[in-house]
Amino acid sequence: MRYRGYFINLKPLDFKGSWSLEIERGNFVSSRGVSSEWTIKQVEDYAFNEIDKLIKEEIKSWQGI
């Protein structure tokens, strides 16, 4: 899945009950653990919010804030 230029990947981890949510663009990759009890919608909303935060940080760095 792709959102605002970032790719979103969800992969099961070796231990039961957890997934790895990967957010990537170019050489940047960020992983976060999420529970397998979350719905796809919850994971999607979480990923979108995290990407929105990353974009806000990028804008701040461009503006020199």
Side-chain angles (χ1 to χ4, degrees):
M1 173 184 267
R2 190 172 179 169
Y3 176 72
R4 299 184 76 179
Y6 285 83
F7 287 99
I8 302 168
N9 297 305
L10 188 63
K11 299 176 182 178
L13 295 175
D14 290 338
F15 48 93
K16 188 176 182 177
S18 294
W19 293 78
S20 175
L21 172 66
E22 296 178 352
I23 298 171
E24 60 183 287
R25 183 172 75 182
N27 292 329
F28 173 82
V29 178
S30 178
S31 294
R32 290 152 171 83
V34 296
S35 172
S36 62
E37 294 179 13
W38 285 16
T39 66
I40 294 296
K41 179 66 175 152
Q42 288 173 311
V43 173
E44 181 182 69
D45 289 344
Y46 178 70
F48 291 170
N49 289 333
E50 292 299 303
I51 290 169
D52 289 341
K53 288 179 193 176
L54 290 169
I55 290 172
K56 284 179 186 177
E57 290 300 316
E58 289 175 21
I59 291 170
K60 284 182 185 178
S61 69
W62 295 337
Q63 295 173 342
I65 297 174

